[in-house]
Amino acid sequence: GSTLVERNKEYVQAARVTGVSPLRIMFRHVLPNVLGPVLVLATIQVTTPAPVTGLWGAWAFEEPSGIDAALDSSGYENDGVLENNAGRSGSGYFGSALELSGATGRVNLGPLDVYSNQLTIMMWINADDFGNYDARLISKSSSAQEQDHVWMLSTFTGPTVRFRLKTGNGVTSTLVASTGTLQAGTWHHVAGTYDGSAMRVFLDGNLVGSRSKTGAIARDPNMEVWIGSNPGTFDQVFDGRIDEVQIVGTALSAAEI
């Protein structure tokens, strides 16, 4: 019916010719025109966070229920796929959120790299528990070993926040927050930043750890990025909700975070 009509319209055909992916065509061009005013009204009524400049990726998990996609709103089309029983919760920090069981689930972003020499990774999390003490919040890696990570943000013993980053010298450094504690059943904002001279971790907008680090941020076009789990291990899954994941190509300050 209406979906078939929309997919044959000129603007959809133009998007297809210019190389836009079928997944993005469906969500950006077709669905908004066939779901009707009810979804439009619902979208308007959901409070959304202020935009951040310099975004490389932003995932809000606001797609319709039953759709196994996490669309990137940064403009770089780093869309992800919900895999291995990952789901959504209507009780996000803003609107909906990614929901994981602690045993299975992830959002696969593919081999995403950041083409910048500064970095901020940040998100809202609400843990059901910390049974997996080193659960991955987002990870670009090939195993659980430190030196097999390009960058990663996770929970750790405390429970607190941990940040890993590899630079051009081939060495991955790990930073664990020295203060601050995560609480189950509570929304926390967590972030890791790198400005070319230091790594920093933030919890609820407060600086909770730092260490010296230099060099260009490493890249690996063959290594996947997963939200909520760790590529290569499958058993370091976060248990709870994750919302408003953002990767920024600058090192944001505490005030900006």
Side-chain angles (χ1 to χ4, degrees):
S2 58
T3 300
L4 291 176
V5 172
E6 288 296 326
R7 68 185 294 184
N8 290 317
K9 288 189 174 179
E10 290 184 1
Y11 68 90
V12 175
Q13 297 298 326
R16 186 178 293 116
V17 169
T18 57
V20 178
S21 70
L23 183 67
R24 182 162 288 271
I25 288 173
M26 178 60 70
F27 283 101
R28 292 296 192 219
H29 299 290
V30 178
L31 285 181
N33 290 292
V34 301
L35 292 181
V38 174
L39 284 182
V40 174
L41 179 60
T43 301
I44 292 173
Q45 290 176 338
V46 172
T47 302
T48 56
V52 176
T53 58
L55 281 174
W56 278 96
W59 301 270
F61 310 110
E62 300 297 338
E63 297 77 20
S65 176
I67 302 300
D68 294 333
L71 297 182
D72 169 25
S73 62
S74 71
Y76 286 99
E77 299 188 7
N78 294 309
D79 301 330
V81 179
L82 277 68
E83 298 179 337
N84 206 24
N85 298 315
R88 288 188 185 82
S89 166
S91 300
Y93 191 82
F94 293 102
S96 298
L98 174 68
E99 186 164 32
L100 303 170
S101 68
T104 60
R106 59 182 174 264
V107 174
N108 189 337
L109 300 178
L112 170 64
D113 274 312
V114 177
Y115 290 85
S116 174
N117 287 324
Q118 294 191 3
L119 177 67
T120 297
I121 304 170
M122 59 185 180
M123 67 192 72
W124 287 94
I125 66 170
N126 189 327
D128 292 334
D129 62 55
F130 295 97
N132 291 337
Y133 75 94
D134 61 346
R136 298 308 196 259
L137 304 175
I138 188 168
S139 181
K140 182 177 176 68
S141 68
S142 59
S143 82
Q145 300 301 311
E146 179 186 51
Q147 296 307 310
D148 290 335
H149 288 74
V150 174
W151 36 262
M152 176 271 282
L153 196 63
S154 78
T155 61
F156 199 61
T157 303
T160 190
V161 189
R162 179 175 59 174
F163 179 34
R164 281 180 175 164
L165 180 69
K166 184 188 294 288
T167 51
N169 61 6
V171 175
T172 299
S173 300
T174 298
L175 171 61
V176 177
S178 57
T179 61
T181 303
L182 296 168
Q183 301 289 335
T186 300
W187 281 105
H188 292 285
H189 191 267
V190 297
T193 71
Y194 174 67
D195 63 3
S197 62
M199 297 169 59
R200 297 178 177 87
V201 286
F202 296 83
L203 176 58
D204 295 327
N206 299 308
L207 179 65
V208 292
S210 65
R211 63 169 293 170
S212 297
K213 177 77 171 174
T214 60
I217 297 171
R219 302 173 192 138
D220 189 330
N222 299 310
M223 187 179 291
E224 291 184 339
V225 176
W226 290 1
I227 298 174
S229 185
N230 195 54
T233 61
F234 300 94
D235 61 351
Q236 293 167 299
V237 183
F238 182 70
D239 188 356
R241 288 164 285 164
I242 298 176
D243 202 4
E244 302 299 328
V245 178
Q246 297 183 334
I247 299 175
V248 187
T250 60
L252 300 181
S253 67
E256 292 171 318
I257 289 172

